Amino acid sequence: PTALAEVAHTLETELKQILREAELRQGLRTALPVNLAANLLLAAAEGRIIQYVRSEFRRSPTEYWAEQWRVLTAAVFRRPGD
């Protein structure tokens, strides 16, 4: 695998671990199985990076992030009682 593929794999593994720990420590549950939720979050991050590169590093990767993160987390995490 390429270095980039290894970084993506490591990141996804870390996201899975973070999501599992959030469930154990904070009671946060994902609406999808953890592996799918981690993959979705990684895809969002990769998309932001690609947009940044495609803009020749002019468009901030955090542009609109606060709003998008609210929507993404609402979709990824279950509400209490669900």
Side-chain angles (χ1 to χ4, degrees):
T2 66
L4 186 55
E6 287 181 31
V7 168
H9 176 72
T10 300
L11 244 155
E12 191 165 2
T13 300
E14 288 295 320
L15 283 169
K16 289 176 192 176
Q17 185 62 32
I18 289 166
L19 293 172
R20 287 185 187 110
E21 287 179 17
E23 183 174 349
L24 291 173
R25 294 181 184 176
Q26 299 171 350
L28 290 175
R29 299 209 43 180
T30 57
L32 299 165
V34 168
N35 61 328
L36 297 179
N39 182 262
L40 177 61
L41 293 172
L42 180 62
E46 287 177 329
R48 300 305 303 199
I49 292 166
I50 289 168
Q51 288 177 347
Y52 181 55
V53 171
R54 196 174 46 221
S55 75
E56 297 180 355
F57 308 99
R58 288 180 296 222
R59 184 176 178 186
S60 172
T62 59
E63 182 179 32
Y64 311 121
W65 182 248
E67 298 88 347
Q68 292 170 342
W69 181 245
R70 275 195 296 276
V71 171
L72 192 56
T73 56
V76 169
F77 294 101
R78 292 183 186 174
R79 293 188 179 101
D82 283 353

